[in-house]
Amino acid sequence: GHSSWLMSVDADTGIICSGSMDGTVRIWDAAAEAMEPKVVGHSRNVWWVQYNQKGDQLLSYADNETEDDNPEYCVLELCHRKFIAHVR
């Protein structure tokens, strides 16, 4: 699992995602009781993760809670398990 505090969880049709203060997003297949390899797209604490309405993309948000720091947003394309957008 994660190596730090779990901050957010979302689920869609048996696939569970989680975001942590370790800067990673994890994807879990509940039916297979298996975890996908960790997805690293952030260099900061991941505060929330959420599936889009279709369930084919996952949005994550990260920052360091400092006023002068710019937040990071990532969009993960679930069918290929790759980030398609990384916005700072």
Side-chain angles (χ1 to χ4, degrees):
H2 292 286
S3 63
S4 188
W5 293 96
L6 182 66
M7 300 306 295
S8 181
V9 176
D10 196 14
D12 185 71
T13 62
I15 305 296
I16 302 166
C17 65
S18 58
S20 170
M21 291 184 76
D22 63 7
T24 64
V25 173
R26 296 277 187 163
I27 299 170
W28 314 78
D29 184 337
E33 297 181 5
M35 179 179 61
E36 298 282 333
K38 70 181 176 181
V39 178
V40 180
H42 291 288
S43 60
R44 304 168 183 164
N45 302 333
V46 178
W47 292 104
W48 58 257
V49 291
Q50 184 173 1
Y51 286 102
N52 68 350
Q53 289 180 344
K54 289 183 179 180
D56 62 348
Q57 293 181 344
L58 177 68
L59 176 66
S60 57
Y61 167 81
D63 74 12
N64 281 337
E65 289 190 297
T66 59
E67 291 181 24
D68 60 343
D69 208 31
N70 294 322
E72 297 176 332
Y73 296 90
C74 288
V75 178
L76 175 68
E77 186 177 55
L78 294 175
C79 63
H80 300 295
R81 299 292 195 260
K82 68 176 184 175
F83 282 102
I84 58 173
H86 191 178
V87 181
R88 291 184 185 200

